Each structure stands twice: as structure tokens, then as C-alpha cells.
Coordinates of all heavy atoms in Angstrom, one line a residue:
M1 N 18.2 -30.6 15.8 CA 16.8 -30.5 16.2 C 16.1 -31.9 16.2 O 16.4 -32.7 15.4 CB 16.0 -29.6 15.1 CG 14.7 -29.3 15.6 SD 13.8 -28.1 14.5 CE 14.9 -27.6 13.3
T2 N 15.3 -32.1 17.2 CA 14.6 -33.4 17.4 C 13.1 -33.1 17.5 O 12.7 -32.2 18.2 CB 15.1 -34.1 18.6 OG1 16.5 -34.2 18.5 CG2 14.5 -35.5 18.7
T3 N 12.3 -34.0 16.9 CA 10.8 -33.8 17.1 C 10.3 -34.9 18.0 O 10.5 -36.1 17.8 CB 10.1 -34.0 15.7 OG1 10.6 -33.0 14.8 CG2 8.6 -33.8 15.9
L4 N 9.7 -34.5 19.1 CA 9.1 -35.4 20.1 C 7.6 -35.1 20.1 O 7.2 -34.0 20.5 CB 9.7 -35.1 21.5 CG 11.2 -35.4 21.7 CD1 11.7 -34.9 23.1 CD2 11.5 -36.9 21.5
G5 N 6.8 -36.0 19.6 CA 5.4 -35.7 19.5 C 5.3 -34.7 18.4 O 5.9 -34.8 17.3
F6 N 4.5 -33.6 18.7 CA 4.4 -32.5 17.7 C 5.2 -31.3 18.1 O 5.1 -30.3 17.5 CB 2.9 -32.1 17.6 CG 2.1 -33.3 17.1 CD1 1.3 -34.0 17.9 CD2 2.1 -33.6 15.7 CE1 0.5 -35.0 17.4 CE2 1.4 -34.7 15.2 CZ 0.6 -35.4 16.1
V7 N 6.1 -31.4 19.1 CA 6.8 -30.3 19.6 C 8.3 -30.5 19.1 O 8.9 -31.5 19.2 CB 6.8 -30.2 21.1 CG1 7.7 -29.1 21.6 CG2 5.4 -30.1 21.6
R8 N 8.8 -29.4 18.5 CA 10.2 -29.4 18.0 C 11.1 -28.7 19.1 O 10.8 -27.6 19.5 CB 10.3 -28.7 16.7 CG 9.9 -29.5 15.5 CD 9.0 -28.8 14.6 NE 9.7 -27.9 13.7 CZ 10.1 -28.3 12.4 NH1 9.8 -29.5 12.0 NH2 10.7 -27.4 11.6
W9 N 12.1 -29.5 19.5 CA 13.0 -28.9 20.4 C 14.4 -28.7 19.8 O 14.8 -29.5 19.0 CB 13.2 -29.9 21.6 CG 12.0 -30.1 22.4 CD1 11.0 -31.1 22.3 CD2 11.6 -29.4 23.6 NE1 10.1 -30.9 23.3 CE2 10.4 -29.9 24.1 CE3 12.2 -28.3 24.2 CZ2 9.8 -29.4 25.2 CZ3 11.5 -27.7 25.3 CH2 10.4 -28.3 25.8
T10 N 14.9 -27.6 20.1 CA 16.3 -27.2 19.7 C 17.1 -27.0 20.9 O 16.7 -26.4 21.9 CB 16.3 -26.0 18.8 OG1 15.5 -26.2 17.7 CG2 17.7 -25.6 18.4
L11 N 18.3 -27.6 20.9 CA 19.2 -27.4 22.0 C 20.2 -26.3 21.6 O 20.9 -26.4 20.6 CB 20.0 -28.7 22.3 CG 20.9 -28.8 23.5 CD1 20.2 -28.5 24.8 CD2 21.5 -30.2 23.5
R12 N 20.3 -25.3 22.5 CA 21.2 -24.2 22.1 C 21.9 -23.7 23.4 O 21.4 -23.8 24.5 CB 20.5 -23.0 21.5 CG 19.4 -22.4 22.4 CD 19.0 -21.1 21.8 NE 17.8 -20.5 22.6 CZ 17.9 -19.8 23.7 NH1 19.1 -19.7 24.3 NH2 16.9 -19.3 24.3
P13 N 23.1 -23.1 23.3 CA 23.8 -22.5 24.4 C 22.8 -21.4 25.0 O 22.2 -20.7 24.3 CB 25.0 -21.8 23.8 CG 25.3 -22.6 22.6 CD 23.9 -23.0 22.0
D14 N 22.7 -21.4 26.4 CA 21.9 -20.5 27.1 C 22.6 -19.2 27.3 O 23.5 -19.1 28.1 CB 21.4 -21.1 28.4 CG 20.3 -20.3 29.0 OD1 20.0 -19.2 28.6 OD2 19.7 -20.8 30.0
K15 N 22.2 -18.2 26.5 CA 22.9 -16.9 26.6 C 21.9 -15.8 27.2 O 22.1 -14.6 27.1 CB 23.4 -16.4 25.3 CG 24.6 -17.3 24.8 CD 25.0 -17.0 23.4 CE 26.2 -17.9 23.0 NZ 26.5 -17.7 21.6
D16 N 20.8 -16.3 27.8 CA 19.9 -15.3 28.4 C 20.5 -14.6 29.6 O 21.5 -15.1 30.1 CB 18.6 -16.1 28.9 CG 17.8 -16.6 27.7 OD1 18.1 -16.2 26.6 OD2 16.8 -17.3 28.0
E17 N 19.9 -13.5 29.9 CA 20.5 -12.7 31.0 C 20.5 -13.5 32.3 O 21.4 -13.3 33.2 CB 19.7 -11.4 31.2 CG 20.4 -10.2 30.6 CD 19.6 -8.9 30.7 OE1 19.1 -8.7 31.8 OE2 19.4 -8.2 29.7
D18 N 19.5 -14.3 32.5 CA 19.4 -15.1 33.8 C 19.9 -16.5 33.6 O 19.7 -17.3 34.5 CB 17.9 -15.1 34.2 CG 17.0 -15.8 33.2 OD1 17.4 -16.0 32.1 OD2 15.8 -16.1 33.6
A19 N 20.7 -16.7 32.6 CA 21.3 -18.1 32.4 C 22.4 -18.3 33.5 O 23.0 -17.3 34.0 CB 21.9 -18.2 31.0
P20 N 22.6 -19.5 33.9 CA 23.7 -19.8 34.8 C 25.0 -19.4 34.1 O 25.1 -19.4 32.9 CB 23.7 -21.3 34.9 CG 22.4 -21.8 34.4 CD 21.9 -20.8 33.4
P21 N 26.0 -19.0 34.9 CA 27.2 -18.5 34.3 C 28.1 -19.6 33.7 O 28.0 -20.8 34.1 CB 28.0 -17.8 35.5 CG 27.5 -18.6 36.7 CD 26.0 -18.9 36.3
L22 N 28.9 -19.2 32.8 CA 30.0 -20.1 32.3 C 31.0 -20.3 33.4 O 31.4 -19.3 34.0 CB 30.6 -19.5 31.1 CG 31.5 -20.3 30.1 CD1 30.6 -21.4 29.5 CD2 32.1 -19.4 29.0
T23 N 31.4 -21.5 33.8 CA 32.3 -21.7 34.9 C 33.5 -22.5 34.4 O 33.4 -23.3 33.5 CB 31.7 -22.3 36.1 OG1 31.2 -23.7 35.7 CG2 30.5 -21.5 36.6
Y24 N 34.6 -22.3 35.1 CA 35.9 -22.9 34.8 C 36.5 -23.5 36.1 O 36.3 -23.0 37.2 CB 36.9 -21.8 34.3 CG 36.4 -21.0 33.2 CD1 35.6 -19.9 33.4 CD2 36.7 -21.4 31.8 CE1 35.1 -19.1 32.3 CE2 36.2 -20.6 30.8 CZ 35.4 -19.5 31.0 OH 34.9 -18.8 30.0
A25 N 37.2 -24.6 35.8 CA 37.9 -25.2 36.9 C 39.1 -26.0 36.3 O 39.1 -26.3 35.1 CB 37.1 -26.2 37.7
F26 N 40.1 -26.2 37.1 CA 41.2 -27.1 36.6 C 41.3 -28.3 37.5 O 41.0 -28.2 38.7 CB 42.6 -26.3 36.7 CG 43.0 -25.7 35.4 CD1 42.3 -24.8 34.8 CD2 44.3 -26.1 34.9 CE1 42.7 -24.2 33.6 CE2 44.7 -25.5 33.7 CZ 43.9 -24.6 33.0
R27 N 41.7 -29.4 36.9 CA 41.9 -30.6 37.8 C 43.3 -31.2 37.4 O 43.7 -31.0 36.2 CB 40.8 -31.6 37.7 CG 40.6 -32.3 36.4 CD 39.3 -33.1 36.5 NE 39.2 -33.9 35.3 CZ 39.7 -35.2 35.1 NH1 40.3 -35.7 36.1 NH2 39.5 -35.8 34.0
C28 N 43.9 -31.8 38.3 CA 45.2 -32.4 38.1 C 45.1 -33.8 37.5 O 44.3 -34.6 38.0 CB 45.9 -32.4 39.5 SG 47.6 -33.1 39.3
L29 N 45.8 -34.0 36.4 CA 45.7 -35.3 35.8 C 46.9 -36.2 36.1 O 47.0 -37.3 35.6 CB 45.7 -35.1 34.2 CG 44.4 -34.4 33.7 CD1 44.6 -34.3 32.1 CD2 43.2 -35.1 34.0
T30 N 47.8 -35.7 36.9 CA 49.0 -36.5 37.2 C 48.7 -37.8 37.8 O 47.9 -37.9 38.7 CB 50.0 -35.6 38.1 OG1 50.2 -34.4 37.4 CG2 51.3 -36.4 38.3
L31 N 49.4 -38.8 37.3 CA 49.2 -40.2 37.8 C 50.1 -40.4 39.0 O 51.3 -40.0 38.9 CB 49.4 -41.2 36.8 CG 48.4 -41.2 35.6 CD1 48.8 -42.3 34.5 CD2 47.0 -41.4 36.0
A32 N 49.6 -41.0 40.1 CA 50.5 -41.3 41.2 C 51.3 -42.5 40.8 O 50.8 -43.5 40.2 CB 49.6 -41.7 42.4
A33 N 52.6 -42.4 41.0 CA 53.5 -43.5 40.6 C 53.1 -44.8 41.3 O 53.2 -45.9 40.7 CB 54.9 -43.1 41.0
A34 N 52.6 -44.8 42.5 CA 52.4 -46.0 43.3 C 51.3 -46.9 42.6 O 51.5 -48.0 42.4 CB 52.0 -45.6 44.7
D35 N 50.1 -46.3 42.3 CA 49.0 -47.1 41.9 C 48.4 -46.7 40.6 O 47.3 -47.1 40.2 CB 47.9 -47.2 43.0 CG 47.5 -45.9 43.4 OD1 47.9 -44.9 42.8 OD2 46.7 -45.8 44.3
D36 N 49.0 -45.7 39.9 CA 48.6 -45.3 38.6 C 47.2 -44.6 38.6 O 46.5 -44.5 37.6 CB 48.5 -46.5 37.6 CG 49.3 -46.1 36.3 OD1 50.2 -45.3 36.4 OD2 49.0 -46.7 35.3
T37 N 46.7 -44.1 39.7 CA 45.5 -43.4 39.8 C 45.7 -41.9 39.7 O 46.8 -41.4 40.1 CB 44.7 -43.7 41.1 OG1 45.5 -43.4 42.2 CG2 44.3 -45.2 41.1
E38 N 44.7 -41.2 39.2 CA 44.9 -39.7 39.1 C 45.0 -39.0 40.4 O 44.3 -39.5 41.4 CB 43.8 -39.1 38.2 CG 44.0 -39.3 36.7 CD 42.8 -38.8 35.9 OE1 42.0 -38.0 36.5 OE2 42.8 -39.1 34.7
C39 N 45.7 -38.0 40.5 CA 45.8 -37.2 41.7 C 44.4 -36.7 42.2 O 44.1 -36.8 43.4 CB 46.7 -36.0 41.5 SG 46.6 -34.7 42.7
D40 N 43.6 -36.3 41.2 CA 42.2 -36.0 41.6 C 42.0 -34.7 42.2 O 40.9 -34.3 42.6 CB 41.6 -37.1 42.4 CG 40.2 -37.5 41.9 OD1 39.9 -37.3 40.7 OD2 39.4 -38.0 42.7
A41 N 43.1 -33.9 42.4 CA 42.9 -32.6 43.0 C 42.2 -31.7 42.0 O 42.4 -31.8 40.8 CB 44.3 -32.0 43.4
K42 N 41.3 -30.8 42.5 CA 40.5 -30.0 41.6 C 40.4 -28.6 42.2 O 40.3 -28.4 43.4 CB 39.1 -30.5 41.4 CG 38.4 -29.9 40.3 CD 37.0 -30.5 40.1 CE 36.2 -29.7 39.1 NZ 34.7 -29.8 39.2
S43 N 40.5 -27.6 41.4 CA 40.4 -26.2 41.8 C 39.0 -25.9 42.2 O 38.1 -26.5 41.7 CB 40.9 -25.2 40.7 OG 39.9 -25.1 39.7
P44 N 38.8 -24.8 43.0 CA 37.4 -24.3 43.1 C 36.9 -23.8 41.7 O 37.7 -23.4 40.9 CB 37.6 -23.1 44.0 CG 38.9 -23.3 44.7 CD 39.8 -24.0 43.8
T45 N 35.6 -24.0 41.5 CA 35.0 -23.5 40.3 C 34.9 -22.0 40.3 O 34.6 -21.4 41.4 CB 33.6 -24.1 40.2 OG1 33.7 -25.6 40.1 CG2 32.9 -23.7 38.9
S46 N 35.2 -21.4 39.2 CA 35.1 -19.9 39.1 C 34.5 -19.4 37.8 O 34.6 -20.1 36.8 CB 36.6 -19.4 39.2 OG 36.6 -18.0 39.1
T47 N 34.0 -18.2 37.8 CA 33.5 -17.6 36.6 C 34.6 -16.9 35.9 O 34.5 -16.4 34.8 CB 32.3 -16.7 36.9 OG1 32.7 -15.7 37.8 CG2 31.1 -17.4 37.3
D48 N 35.8 -16.8 36.6 CA 36.9 -16.1 36.0 C 37.9 -17.2 35.6 O 38.5 -17.9 36.4 CB 37.6 -15.2 37.1 CG 38.9 -14.6 36.6 OD1 39.4 -14.9 35.5 OD2 39.4 -13.8 37.4
P49 N 38.2 -17.3 34.3 CA 39.0 -18.4 33.8 C 40.4 -18.4 34.3 O 41.2 -19.4 34.3 CB 39.0 -18.3 32.3 CG 38.5 -16.9 32.0 CD 37.7 -16.5 33.2
T50 N 40.9 -17.3 34.8 CA 42.3 -17.2 35.2 C 42.5 -17.7 36.7 O 43.6 -18.1 37.0 CB 42.8 -15.7 35.2 OG1 42.1 -14.9 36.1 CG2 42.7 -15.2 33.8
E51 N 41.4 -17.7 37.5 CA 41.5 -18.1 38.9 C 42.0 -19.6 39.0 O 42.9 -19.9 39.7 CB 40.2 -17.9 39.6 CG 40.2 -16.6 40.3 CD 38.9 -16.3 41.0 OE1 38.3 -17.3 41.5 OE2 38.5 -15.1 41.1
P52 N 41.3 -20.5 38.2 CA 41.8 -21.9 38.3 C 43.2 -22.1 37.8 O 43.9 -23.0 38.3 CB 40.8 -22.7 37.3 CG 39.6 -21.8 37.3 CD 40.1 -20.4 37.4
Q53 N 43.7 -21.2 36.9 CA 45.1 -21.3 36.5 C 46.0 -21.0 37.6 O 47.1 -21.6 37.8 CB 45.3 -20.4 35.3 CG 44.6 -20.8 34.0 CD 44.7 -19.9 32.9 OE1 45.6 -19.0 32.8 NE2 43.7 -20.0 31.9
T54 N 45.6 -20.0 38.4 CA 46.4 -19.6 39.6 C 46.5 -20.8 40.6 O 47.5 -21.1 41.1 CB 45.8 -18.4 40.3 OG1 45.7 -17.3 39.4 CG2 46.6 -18.0 41.5
W55 N 45.3 -21.5 40.7 CA 45.3 -22.7 41.5 C 46.3 -23.8 41.0 O 47.0 -24.4 41.8 CB 43.9 -23.3 41.5 CG 43.8 -24.7 42.2 CD1 43.6 -24.9 43.5 CD2 44.0 -26.0 41.6 NE1 43.7 -26.3 43.8 CE2 43.9 -26.9 42.6 CE3 44.3 -26.4 40.3 CZ2 44.1 -28.3 42.3 CZ3 44.4 -27.7 40.0 CH2 44.3 -28.7 41.0
A56 N 46.4 -23.9 39.7 CA 47.3 -24.9 39.1 C 48.8 -24.6 39.5 O 49.5 -25.5 39.9 CB 47.2 -25.0 37.6
F57 N 49.1 -23.3 39.5 CA 50.5 -22.9 39.9 C 50.7 -23.2 41.4 O 51.8 -23.7 41.8 CB 50.8 -21.5 39.6 CG 51.1 -21.2 38.2 CD1 50.2 -20.7 37.3 CD2 52.3 -21.6 37.7 CE1 50.4 -20.5 36.0 CE2 52.6 -21.4 36.3 CZ 51.7 -20.8 35.5
D58 N 49.7 -23.0 42.3 CA 49.8 -23.3 43.7 C 49.9 -24.8 43.9 O 50.7 -25.2 44.7 CB 48.5 -22.8 44.4 CG 48.4 -21.3 44.5 OD1 49.5 -20.6 44.3 OD2 47.4 -20.8 44.8
H59 N 49.2 -25.6 43.1 CA 49.2 -27.0 43.2 C 50.6 -27.5 42.8 O 51.2 -28.5 43.4 CB 48.2 -27.7 42.3 CG 48.0 -29.1 42.5 ND1 47.5 -29.7 43.7 CD2 48.3 -30.2 41.7 CE1 47.5 -31.0 43.6 NE2 47.9 -31.3 42.4
L60 N 51.2 -26.9 41.7 CA 52.5 -27.3 41.3 C 53.6 -27.0 42.4 O 54.5 -27.8 42.6 CB 52.9 -26.6 40.0 CG 54.3 -26.8 39.5 CD1 54.5 -28.2 39.0 CD2 54.6 -25.8 38.3
R61 N 53.4 -25.9 43.1 CA 54.3 -25.5 44.1 C 54.3 -26.6 45.2 O 55.3 -26.9 45.8 CB 54.0 -24.1 44.7 CG 54.9 -23.0 44.2 CD 54.7 -21.7 44.9 NE 53.4 -21.1 44.7 CZ 53.2 -20.4 43.6 NH1 54.1 -20.2 42.7 NH2 51.9 -19.9 43.4
A62 N 53.1 -27.0 45.6 CA 52.9 -28.0 46.6 C 53.4 -29.4 46.2 O 53.8 -30.2 47.0 CB 51.5 -28.0 47.1
H63 N 53.2 -29.7 44.9 CA 53.5 -31.0 44.3 C 54.3 -30.8 43.0 O 53.8 -30.8 41.9 CB 52.3 -31.8 44.0 CG 51.3 -31.9 45.2 ND1 51.4 -32.8 46.2 CD2 50.2 -31.1 45.5 CE1 50.4 -32.6 47.0 NE2 49.7 -31.6 46.6
P64 N 55.6 -30.6 43.1 CA 56.4 -30.2 42.0 C 56.4 -31.2 40.8 O 56.7 -30.8 39.7 CB 57.9 -30.0 42.5 CG 57.7 -29.8 44.0 CD 56.4 -30.6 44.4
E65 N 56.0 -32.4 41.1 CA 56.0 -33.4 40.0 C 54.6 -33.4 39.3 O 54.4 -34.1 38.3 CB 56.3 -34.8 40.5 CG 55.3 -35.4 41.4 CD 55.3 -35.0 42.8 OE1 55.9 -33.9 43.1 OE2 54.7 -35.6 43.7
H66 N 53.6 -32.6 39.7 CA 52.3 -32.6 39.1 C 52.2 -31.6 38.0 O 52.0 -30.4 38.3 CB 51.2 -32.4 40.2 CG 51.1 -33.6 41.1 ND1 50.0 -33.8 41.9 CD2 51.9 -34.6 41.4 CE1 50.1 -34.9 42.6 NE2 51.3 -35.4 42.3
T67 N 52.4 -32.0 36.8 CA 52.5 -31.0 35.7 C 51.5 -31.2 34.6 O 51.5 -30.6 33.6 CB 53.9 -31.2 35.0 OG1 54.1 -32.6 34.6 CG2 55.0 -30.8 35.9
S68 N 50.5 -32.1 34.8 CA 49.5 -32.4 33.8 C 48.1 -32.0 34.3 O 47.7 -32.5 35.4 CB 49.5 -33.9 33.4 OG 48.7 -34.1 32.3
Y69 N 47.4 -31.1 33.6 CA 46.1 -30.6 34.1 C 45.1 -30.7 32.9 O 45.4 -30.7 31.8 CB 46.3 -29.2 34.5 CG 47.2 -29.0 35.7 CD1 48.6 -28.9 35.5 CD2 46.7 -29.1 37.0 CE1 49.4 -28.9 36.6 CE2 47.5 -29.0 38.1 CZ 48.9 -28.9 37.9 OH 49.7 -28.8 39.0
A70 N 43.8 -30.6 33.3 CA 42.7 -30.5 32.4 C 41.8 -29.3 32.8 O 41.6 -29.1 34.1 CB 41.9 -31.7 32.3
E71 N 41.4 -28.5 31.9 CA 40.4 -27.4 32.2 C 39.0 -28.0 32.1 O 38.7 -28.5 31.0 CB 40.7 -26.2 31.3 CG 39.8 -25.0 31.6 CD 40.0 -23.9 30.7 OE1 40.4 -24.1 29.5 OE2 39.8 -22.7 31.1
V72 N 38.2 -27.8 33.1 CA 36.8 -28.2 33.1 C 35.9 -27.0 32.9 O 35.9 -26.2 33.8 CB 36.5 -29.0 34.4 CG1 35.0 -29.5 34.3 CG2 37.5 -30.1 34.6
I73 N 35.2 -26.9 31.8 CA 34.4 -25.8 31.5 C 32.9 -26.2 31.5 O 32.6 -27.2 30.9 CB 34.7 -25.2 30.1 CG1 36.2 -24.8 30.1 CG2 33.8 -24.0 29.8 CD1 36.7 -24.3 28.7
E74 N 32.1 -25.5 32.3 CA 30.7 -25.8 32.2 C 30.0 -24.7 31.5 O 30.0 -23.5 31.9 CB 30.2 -25.9 33.7 CG 28.7 -26.4 33.7 CD 28.2 -26.8 35.0 OE1 28.4 -27.9 35.4 OE2 27.6 -25.9 35.7
R75 N 29.3 -25.0 30.4 CA 28.6 -24.0 29.6 C 27.1 -24.4 29.6 O 26.7 -25.5 29.3 CB 29.1 -24.1 28.1 CG 28.5 -23.1 27.2 CD 28.9 -23.4 25.7 NE 30.2 -23.9 25.5 CZ 31.3 -23.1 25.4 NH1 31.1 -21.8 25.4 NH2 32.5 -23.6 25.2
P76 N 26.3 -23.4 30.1 CA 24.9 -23.7 30.2 C 24.2 -23.8 28.8 O 24.5 -23.0 27.9 CB 24.3 -22.5 31.0 CG 25.3 -21.4 30.7 CD 26.6 -22.0 30.5
W77 N 23.4 -24.8 28.6 CA 22.6 -24.9 27.4 C 21.1 -25.0 27.8 O 20.8 -25.3 29.0 CB 23.0 -26.2 26.7 CG 24.3 -26.1 25.9 CD1 25.5 -25.9 26.5 CD2 24.5 -26.3 24.5 NE1 26.5 -25.9 25.5 CE2 25.9 -26.1 24.3 CE3 23.6 -26.5 23.4 CZ2 26.4 -26.2 23.0 CZ3 24.2 -26.6 22.2 CH2 25.6 -26.4 22.0
V78 N 20.2 -24.8 26.8 CA 18.8 -24.8 27.2 C 18.1 -25.4 26.0 O 18.5 -25.3 24.8 CB 18.3 -23.4 27.5 CG1 18.4 -22.5 26.2 CG2 16.9 -23.4 28.0
M79 N 17.0 -26.2 26.3 CA 16.1 -26.7 25.3 C 15.1 -25.6 24.9 O 14.5 -25.0 25.8 CB 15.4 -27.9 25.8 CG 16.2 -29.2 25.9 SD 16.6 -29.8 24.3 CE 17.5 -31.3 24.7
W80 N 14.9 -25.4 23.6 CA 14.1 -24.3 23.1 C 13.0 -25.0 22.4 O 13.2 -25.7 21.4 CB 14.9 -23.4 22.2 CG 14.3 -22.2 21.8 CD1 13.8 -21.9 20.5 CD2 14.0 -21.0 22.5 NE1 13.3 -20.7 20.5 CE2 13.4 -20.1 21.7 CE3 14.3 -20.7 23.9 CZ2 13.0 -18.8 22.2 CZ3 13.9 -19.4 24.3 CH2 13.3 -18.5 23.5
R81 N 11.7 -24.7 22.8 CA 10.5 -25.3 22.2 C 10.1 -24.5 21.0 O 9.9 -23.3 21.1 CB 9.4 -25.4 23.2 CG 8.3 -26.4 22.7 CD 7.0 -26.1 23.2 NE 6.9 -25.8 24.6 CZ 6.4 -26.6 25.6 NH1 6.1 -27.8 25.3 NH2 6.3 -26.2 26.8
E82 N 10.0 -25.1 19.8 CA 9.7 -24.3 18.6 C 8.2 -24.6 18.1 O 7.6 -23.7 17.6 CB 10.6 -24.6 17.5 CG 12.0 -24.2 17.8 CD 12.9 -24.3 16.6 OE1 12.6 -25.1 15.7 OE2 14.0 -23.7 16.6
G83 N 7.7 -25.8 18.4 CA 6.4 -26.1 17.8 C 5.3 -25.7 18.8 O 5.5 -25.1 19.8
P84 N 4.1 -26.1 18.5 CA 3.0 -25.9 19.4 C 3.1 -26.8 20.6 O 3.6 -27.9 20.5 CB 1.7 -26.3 18.5 CG 2.3 -27.2 17.5 CD 3.7 -26.8 17.2
A85 N 2.5 -26.3 21.7 CA 2.6 -27.0 23.0 C 1.7 -28.3 22.9 O 0.7 -28.3 22.2 CB 2.3 -26.2 24.1
Ligands
LIG101 ZN1 48.1 -33.2 41.6

């Protein structure tokens, strides 16, 4: 909790009905042998956590040496005003 002026703000995960959805994506972390940069391929973002995993298997089929991935999760948060306006 942080006080800015006389208003107290709390940051919390946004679980309201109209909150943006939790989304998932996978990206490839495999380094290219040539210049040591990441492959940078990324799955489409999905609200279904299993869909990006399917993308990873497809990516592996296309690039059999790409075996390192990161899951990118976007979780909505919201600032909640507690004090007087
Ligand atoms: Zn890759």
C-alpha cells in the first residue's frame, strides 16, 4: 500500500467480471548458434494455457534443435483507491 497525497492506493489482481482475461503465450529461448541471439519466435496469445504448449510442439517439429521455452503470463492488476478522493 502506498499513500499519494491523502489517497491510499492498493495494487491487487483484477478479478472483477469485466477484468481483462489472464493470457498465456510461449516463446522460444533457443540461442542461434551463429550469433548467440534468441530465436524470438512467439506463440499467439491465448486465454487457454494449453494452446501455447501446442504451439511449442509445432515449433519443435519445425526446428528440432529448439528445446528451450519460456511461458509468458499476463495477469491483470488494478489500483484500488481506499482513501477519500
Ligand atoms: Zn525457436
Side-chain angles (χ1 to χ4, degrees):
M1 189 175 353
T2 304
T3 302
L4 298 172
F6 296 103
V7 179
R8 280 133 81 94
W9 293 93
T10 300
L11 185 59
R12 63 166 172 80
D14 192 349
K15 293 176 179 170
D16 291 352
E17 260 175 48
D18 60 348
L22 197 63
T23 61
Y24 305 84
F26 261 60
R27 65 187 187 91
C28 181
L29 295 180
T30 304
L31 298 177
D35 54 4
D36 232 28
T37 56
E38 281 178 12
C39 164
D40 225 24
K42 192 179 173 204
S43 76
T45 300
S46 175
T47 55
D48 176 354
T50 64
E51 269 178 28
Q53 294 174 19
T54 303
W55 172 89
F57 281 104
D58 290 344
H59 189 68
L60 177 68
R61 258 189 293 279
H63 308 275
E65 72 279 16
H66 290 200
T67 54
S68 188
Y69 296 87
E71 184 179 27
V72 182
I73 301 174
E74 185 169 277
R75 184 190 318 277
W77 285 62
V78 65
M79 286 288 185
W80 189 253
R81 197 209 315 256
E82 293 188 343

